[in-house]
Amino acid sequence: MDCPRVRYPQFNDQVEAELAAAGYQVRTDPGNQVDKVVQLYEVLMTRHTVMVVGQTGGGKSVILNTLARAQTTMGRRTTLHVLNPKAITVAELYGVLDKDTRDWTDGLLSNMFREVNRPLPADRDEAHYIVFDGDVDAVWVENMNSVMDDNKLLTLPNGERIRLQNHVKLLFEVADLQYASPATISR
């Protein structure tokens, strides 16, 4: 069955312009980078968590950056918040609660997650994409399962719960899903 791709005239044109401005060859045939940006755009209309899978150098970052630039140029300010969860410990990622003093120290993700999930004023059209650029494995991603499912809720070790707002999406930029659990992939 051959299903023709939908073309969003203004968006597709902007994607092509962003790619050309960045010095890339603009490939519009099905399966190439313009089509991949459009596919990601369509998936993000309905999903709050997306895994972009492909080998290093395959264009994943180009697709993400092009989507963000195109949306920003079209009036929806889009910010990518990129972090490598494998480069730091789980405590540095989520935060740590001192057992003796009960003092909470934010981690990189908990601080970022709280900041980007603040409610937006009604007159601002923004998108914030938290990009996990690194392997997905059970050591750090299991804490994200309740955010990735329909609960959209991050529960920190101190008991704080932060809800994922509609203007925030989670993107996982990975080479493969070799170490991801079935529970994570099914989200």
Side-chain angles (χ1 to χ4, degrees), residues 96-105:
V96 65
L97 183 65
D98 186 297
K99 291 181 185 349
D100 297 327
T101 65
R102 305 292 293 163
D103 284 336
W104 171 252
T105 303

Side-chain angles (χ1 to χ4, degrees), residues 110 113-114 117 152-154 156 160-164:
S110 57
F113 202 86
R114 188 180 300 103
N117 280 290
K152 295 181 167 185
L153 200 62
L154 176 65
L156 300 173
E160 179 182 5
R161 294 174 175 207
I162 307 170
R163 183 159 307 279
L164 185 74

